[in-house]
């Protein structure tokens, strides 16, 4: 399910901090770690990896690419040409080397499921002395344990071979998306990053050929100004973010293939859309005046949408219905049909590249590394598979509610002094049961909120509005059509 991510620039006002605290309480999100967990984490960080495994060092100039300011660095990358194709080296932090099964850190991670992000703070899956220190792939000259994927591609970007091994790696640079994009645009990027652009584009072509598609929904960005005035805007992800995501997806495909071939593991799954839903979306496209030829697939249609246009945004908002039902399926379980492709990706897929931030990835990483080495899957990993789908479903539910709640609070904060003022917006959603209610996207600010009207709303229509509610305590924002 695509997310509307929240990026906050500047200080966080006390009113928003209070709202976030109340929101976290309502969702029963975890607070700080207990003394026992903190003590165990400090001990493991000081003593080093717990497994005592001897690992060979891979001496390659790995770099990490993340949002600016990130410290929980799961992934490090290096790409080189091989013949007419390419070789991708992708090092994923081996969190299992730091977390003792059944220990205090492990128990706390199961209670959390994932890291929960909020403005200028986070509720981490693991204590930060590990997730932003000892286990993170920081460029401080320290070799760290990682599951290193070697993925070979032909000249078209298709995978021809892959392997995963347990190694030590040293990251050489901590890069952010904006600076990498600038260097790529200027032609001054490192050769490996220039190949990221090449391989990323090829993998997007591979995705298109498979019939996969990604919804590139814009992010809501909140800027805090010195006079305590807040403004919101939409931000479209940079091309390098898409190229980098393709490397992660490709690794997930390889992980799924490896686990499927051995009959053990867990997949990230999404059921295919039923015919009625596609018919509904075609109807929405017609109402928005968007051409969708009968022989054009859903994936090809979505790729042509422009999220910067009101009609494109409204259509993409409607398309999110296809992402409902995403979950996890244990290979060999009663729910496993033997072929469980993720409908949006058109391939079997596994979460395995974010173990510092998502619980399930620690298990898939361990399973893949064990299988590739010809070793039995550790008992603690195999025993966890049955419980992982429910645990991840609950953490995902809380994470989505937290993200949407943060956005709502920020919108209310930005608009709290504008009650009674008039705005212009575009209807991006209409309630099927009451067509006088829906969701509007403002044209002057990146706000999406409820709207009521005295007559049926028309999807994609531009309307005049009056703000009637902006409650900083609950995050509720509401407009009426005028």
């Amino acid at each position: 399910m695509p997310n509307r991510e929240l990026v906050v620039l500047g200080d966080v006002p006390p009113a928003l901090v209070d709202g976030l605290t109340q929101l976290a309480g309502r969702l029963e999100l975890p607070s700080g770690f207990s003394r026992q967990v903190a003590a165990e984490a400090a001990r493991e960080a000081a003593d080093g990896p717990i497994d005592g495994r001897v690992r060979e060092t891979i001496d390659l100039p790995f770099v990490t690419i993340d949002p600016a300011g990130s410290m929980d660095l799961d992934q490090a990358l290096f790409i080189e040409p091989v013949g007419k194709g390419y070789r991708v080296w992708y090092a994923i932090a081996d969190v299992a080397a730091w977390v003792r099964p059944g220990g205090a850190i492990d128990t706390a991670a199961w209670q959390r499921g994932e890291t929960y992000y909020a403005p200028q703070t986070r509720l981490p899956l693991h204590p930060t002395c590990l997730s932003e220190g000892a286990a993170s792939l920081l460029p401080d000259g320290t070799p760290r344990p990682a599951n290193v994927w070697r993925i070979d591609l032909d000249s078209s970007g298709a995978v021809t071979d892959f392997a995963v091994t347990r190694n030590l790696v040293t990251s050489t640079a901590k890069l952010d998306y904006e600076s990498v994009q600038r260097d790529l645009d200027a032609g001054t990027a490192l050769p490996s990053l220039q190949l990221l652009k090449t391989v990323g584009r090829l993998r997007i072509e591979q995705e298109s050929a498979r019939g996969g598609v990604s919804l590139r929904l814009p992010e809501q960005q909140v800027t805090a100004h010195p006079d305590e005035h807040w403004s919101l805007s939409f931000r479209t992800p940079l091309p390098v973010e898409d190229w980098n995501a393709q490397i992660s997806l490709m690794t997930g495909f390889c992980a799924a293939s490896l686990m499927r071939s051995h009959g053990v593991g867990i997949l990230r799954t999404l059921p295919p859309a039923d015919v009625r839903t596609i018919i509904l979306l075609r109807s929405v496209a017609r109402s928005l005046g968007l051409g969708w030829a009968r022989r054009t697939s859903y994936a090809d249609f979505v790729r042509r949408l422009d999220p910067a246009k009101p009609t494109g945004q409204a259509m993409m908002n409607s398309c999110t219905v296809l992402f409902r039902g995403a979950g996890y399926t244990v290979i060999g379980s009663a729910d496993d049909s033997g072929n469980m492709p993720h409908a949006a990706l058109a391939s079997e897929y596994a979460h395995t590249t974010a173990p510092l931030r998502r619980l399930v990835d620690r298990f898939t990483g361990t399973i893949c590394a064990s299988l590739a080495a010809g070793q039995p899957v550790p008992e603690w990993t195999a025993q966890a598979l049955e419980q992982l789908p429910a645990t991840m479903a609950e953490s995902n539910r809380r994470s989505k509610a937290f993200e949407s709640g943060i956005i709502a609070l920020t919108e209310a904060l930005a608009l709290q002094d504008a009650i009674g003022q008039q705005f212009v917006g575009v209807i991006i959603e209409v309630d099927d049961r009451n067509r006088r209610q829906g969701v509007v996207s403002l044209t002057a600010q990146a706000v999406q909120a409820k709207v009521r009207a005295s007559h049926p709303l028309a999807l994609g229509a531009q309307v005049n509005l009056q703000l009637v509610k902006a409650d900083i305590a609950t995050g509720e924002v509401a407009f009426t059509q005028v």
Side-chain angles (χ1 to χ4, degrees):
M1 178 72 178
N3 298 329
R4 289 192 298 156
E5 297 183 10
L6 180 68
V7 180
V8 175
L9 308 177
D11 294 331
V12 183
L16 183 55
V17 173
D18 291 342
L20 291 171
T21 301
Q22 294 180 37
L23 175 63
R26 289 195 299 272
L27 295 173
E28 298 182 344
L29 298 184
S31 55
F33 291 99
S34 69
R35 291 182 179 179
Q36 182 183 8
V37 174
E40 182 177 294
R43 185 169 59 252
E44 306 298 8
D47 294 346
I50 62 173
D51 57 6
R53 190 185 304 276
V54 176
R55 294 173 169 84
E56 293 185 4
T57 299
I58 292 186
D59 188 17
L60 292 172
F62 286 102
V63 300
T64 61
I65 313 174
D66 294 272
S70 297
M71 294 295 290
D72 47 352
L73 310 180
D74 299 282
Q75 311 140 3
L77 172 77
F78 176 71
I79 304 177
E80 60 184 335
V82 175
K84 295 182 179 180
Y86 312 92
R87 175 164 291 170
V88 175
W89 296 91
Y90 207 39
I92 310 301
D94 187 3
V95 178
W98 300 93
V99 178
R100 196 176 304 278
I105 301 171
D106 185 34
T107 300
W110 275 93
Q111 293 169 349
R112 292 163 186 251
E114 58 189 280
T115 295
Y116 300 90
Y117 291 93
Q120 297 190 340
T121 187
R122 62 185 60 84
L123 305 174
L125 177 62
H126 308 97
T128 55
C129 64
L130 290 178
S131 63
E132 299 182 9
S136 179
L137 301 180
L138 297 166
D140 56 7
T142 302
R144 286 178 167 86
N147 294 321
V148 180
W149 291 84
R150 175 191 53 76
I151 306 175
D152 291 337
L153 311 175
D154 64 19
S155 59
S156 71
V159 175
T160 59
D161 189 26
F162 69 85
V164 56
T165 53
R166 296 183 175 101
N167 295 100
L168 292 175
V169 302
T170 303
S171 176
T172 61
K174 177 178 177 290
L175 307 178
D176 62 80
Y177 291 122
E178 287 76 13
S179 63
V180 172
Q181 188 67 60
R182 284 195 301 270
D183 289 346
L184 286 170
D185 292 342
T188 58
L190 296 169
S192 176
L193 297 180
Q194 294 175 13
L195 288 178
L196 171 62
K197 178 178 180 179
T198 300
V199 171
R201 285 176 164 177
L202 290 173
R203 291 302 301 175
I204 290 173
E205 292 176 4
Q206 290 284 328
E207 180 179 80
S208 177
R210 288 195 316 272
V213 64
S214 300
L215 283 182
R216 298 181 70 247
L217 292 174
E219 299 174 356
Q220 276 182 300
Q221 179 168 281
V222 184
T223 302
H225 302 279
D227 60 357
E228 296 188 356
H229 169 67
W230 279 48
S231 63
L232 298 95
S233 60
F234 281 121
R235 171 189 175 272
T236 301
L238 296 169
V240 69
E241 295 176 65
D242 291 337
W243 304 329
N244 197 50
Q246 286 295 327
I247 304 301
S248 180
L249 290 173
M250 178 176 66
T251 306
F253 299 150
C254 294
S257 174
L258 179 60
M259 291 189 291
R260 171 63 76 187
S261 68
H262 287 81
V264 59
I266 183 169
L267 306 174
R268 178 62 167 170
T269 52
L270 177 69
D274 56 52
V275 175
R276 289 185 300 176
T277 303
I278 296 297
I279 292 174
L280 171 64
L281 291 177
R282 284 186 174 274
S283 176
V284 171
R286 284 195 299 272
S287 72
L288 292 170
L290 297 170
W292 186 349
R294 184 177 298 275
R295 294 184 179 180
T296 300
S297 69
Y298 162 78
D300 288 338
F301 168 71
V302 169
R303 264 186 223 101
R304 294 199 298 266
L305 294 175
D306 184 355
K309 295 181 178 179
T311 52
Q313 186 182 352
M315 189 70 229
M316 283 191 170
N317 190 72
S318 297
C319 287
T320 58
V321 67
L322 294 181
F323 290 81
R324 296 170 186 168
Y328 295 87
T329 301
V330 177
I331 294 175
S333 69
D335 296 326
D336 179 21
S337 68
N339 182 27
M340 302 288 292
H342 188 290
L345 303 175
S347 175
E348 286 200 324
Y349 170 66
H351 275 160
T352 196
T353 62
L356 290 173
R357 295 168 283 152
R358 195 169 47 208
L359 176 67
V360 67
D361 299 48
R362 168 158 53 105
F363 294 86
T364 54
T366 299
I367 290 170
C368 288
S370 298
L371 295 175
Q375 299 169 350
V377 172
E379 186 176 354
W380 62 266
T381 304
Q383 290 178 344
L385 291 178
E386 185 177 349
Q387 288 76 40
L388 276 170
T391 297
M392 295 308 303
E394 174 59 17
S395 70
N396 190 252
R397 180 196 67 79
R398 292 190 294 179
S399 178
K400 293 289 188 293
F402 194 44
E403 290 172 5
S404 62
I406 290 169
I407 291 169
L409 287 167
T410 308
E411 290 174 333
L413 179 67
L415 294 172
Q416 63 179 342
D417 296 327
I419 300 295
Q421 294 183 19
Q422 293 195 2
F423 297 81
V424 176
V426 174
I427 302 299
I428 63 170
E429 183 178 324
V430 177
D431 191 325
D432 291 335
R433 292 172 294 183
N434 183 354
R435 299 193 66 80
R436 292 186 175 90
Q437 298 179 173
V439 176
V440 65
S441 178
L442 300 190
T443 55
Q445 293 194 52
V447 171
Q448 296 177 356
K450 295 177 181 178
V451 61
R452 290 179 179 270
S454 59
H455 55 275
L457 296 167
L459 191 66
Q462 182 170 294
V463 294
N464 295 318
L465 307 158
Q466 184 177 48
L467 180 64
V468 296
K469 190 172 188 178
D471 189 336
I472 188 62
T474 64
E476 186 176 357
V477 174
F479 292 88
T480 58
Q481 184 178 356
V482 296

